[in-house]
């Protein structure tokens, strides 16, 4: 019986070590539910009450997170100058993480820069350059670790005007993002020769 209690406690501790908000809430909820059952069996009523309340809080927070996961009204896309000081700060602050998923990346060749905002918080960066023939080549689609379960970069692609205003009619995904094909397909990308391409409404 005690192993169940230890397991639930371990899940709660592990949940607090997560950088991703959604994963934190899910693990914390599972841990709390296990501890509610464990403390009911002992019984230790104060712990039952505390973990039950925490479980309810987690359910509410998960509902809020998932409800707005693909909500255009929850996110804003801001185009910024590629030499913008704040953009430079974001790229520098997350440089190691960016390099981990984008080896050899440099922002020097990206004249188009977009910040994805959730309220006052920057949650993602998309950089692109002109690939010719009315196509924008994505150089970077980066999401901060805690928001990676929410793919906020999709709002840049949904907001086609951020590209069409510059005369683009297609967006090409980076080839290193082929492992994210399911995400890109949901956003509207399709395979064209060796590239994953998004056709923009004119």
């Amino acid at each position: 019986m005690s192993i169940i209690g230890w397991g639930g406690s371990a899940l709660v501790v592990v949940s607090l070590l997560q950088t991703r908000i959604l994963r934190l809430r899910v693990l914390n909820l599972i841990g709390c539910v296990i501890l509610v059952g464990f403390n009911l069996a002992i019984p230790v009523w104060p712990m039952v009450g505390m973990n039950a309340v925490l479980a309810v809080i987690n359910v509410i927070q998960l509902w809020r997170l998932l409800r707005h996961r693909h909500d255009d009204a929850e996110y804003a896309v801001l185009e910024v100058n590629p030499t913008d000081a704040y953009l430079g700060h974001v790229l520098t602050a997350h440089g190691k993480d960016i390099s981990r998923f984008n080896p050899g990346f440099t922002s020097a060749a990206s004249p188009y820069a977009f910040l994805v905002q959730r309220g006052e918080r920057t949650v993602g960066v998309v950089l692109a350059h002109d690939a010719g023939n009315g196509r924008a080549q994505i150089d970077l689609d980066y999401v901060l670790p805690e928001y990676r379960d929410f793919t906020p970069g999709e709002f840049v692609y949904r907001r086609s005007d951020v590209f069409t205003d510059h005369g683009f009619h297609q967006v090409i995904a980076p080839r290193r993002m082929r492992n994210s094909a399911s995400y890109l397909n949901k956003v509207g990308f399709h395979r064209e020769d060796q590239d994953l391409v998004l056709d923009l409404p004119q």
Side-chain angles (χ1 to χ4, degrees):
M1 177 66 75
S2 62
I3 195 171
I4 296 175
W6 282 111
S9 298
L11 270 178
V12 170
V13 171
V14 169
S15 73
L16 298 176
L17 299 174
Q18 302 302 308
T19 55
R20 297 190 183 189
I21 298 173
L22 187 61
R23 188 177 297 174
L24 183 155
R25 290 294 179 187
V26 169
L27 290 176
N28 200 277
L29 173 61
I30 295 171
C32 288
V33 169
I34 290 172
L35 289 174
V36 167
F38 174 73
N39 288 299
L40 273 171
I42 298 180
V44 180
W45 299 110
M47 296 301 292
V48 170
M50 183 187 75
N51 284 291
V53 170
L54 290 175
V56 170
I57 291 172
N58 280 311
V59 168
I60 293 171
Q61 292 299 322
L62 279 168
W63 175 74
R64 288 176 176 172
L65 288 170
L66 294 173
R67 185 180 63 156
H68 297 297
R69 190 174 190 175
H70 303 289
D71 186 354
D72 289 334
E74 191 74 6
Y75 295 87
V77 179
L78 305 178
E79 183 170 3
V80 297
N81 192 297
T83 60
D84 181 87
Y86 178 69
L87 171 64
H89 167 72
V90 173
L91 294 175
T92 300
H94 300 280
K96 288 184 179 179
D97 195 41
I98 291 173
S99 296
R100 178 183 168 198
F101 295 100
N102 304 271
F105 164 76
T106 172
S107 62
S110 304
Y112 304 101
F114 309 96
L115 295 175
V116 184
Q117 302 288 130
R118 187 178 186 189
E120 297 180 355
R121 182 77 191 273
T122 298
V123 299
V125 178
V126 174
L127 303 178
H129 71 267
D130 190 341
N133 299 318
R135 298 173 130 202
Q137 172 69 63
I138 302 299
D139 299 315
L140 178 69
D141 182 344
Y142 177 73
V143 178
L144 272 65
E146 53 265 48
Y147 287 92
R148 253 171 223 157
D149 293 319
F150 301 94
T151 59
E154 70 181 83
F155 297 100
V156 176
Y157 306 127
R158 284 187 188 177
R159 282 275 313 282
S160 60
D161 59 300
V162 301
F163 292 108
T164 56
D165 285 351
H166 292 288
F168 297 115
H169 63 82
Q170 283 186 324
V171 175
I172 308 172
R175 292 192 174 180
R176 61 181 169 270
M177 286 187 68
R178 286 178 179 174
N179 292 333
S180 304
S182 60
Y183 152 59
L184 293 172
N185 288 337
K186 289 178 183 177
V187 178
F189 282 80
H190 64 276
R191 188 166 294 281
E192 188 174 295
D193 296 326
Q194 299 300 313
D195 296 311
L196 287 171
V197 176
L198 173 68
D199 295 319
L200 301 173
Q202 301 300 303

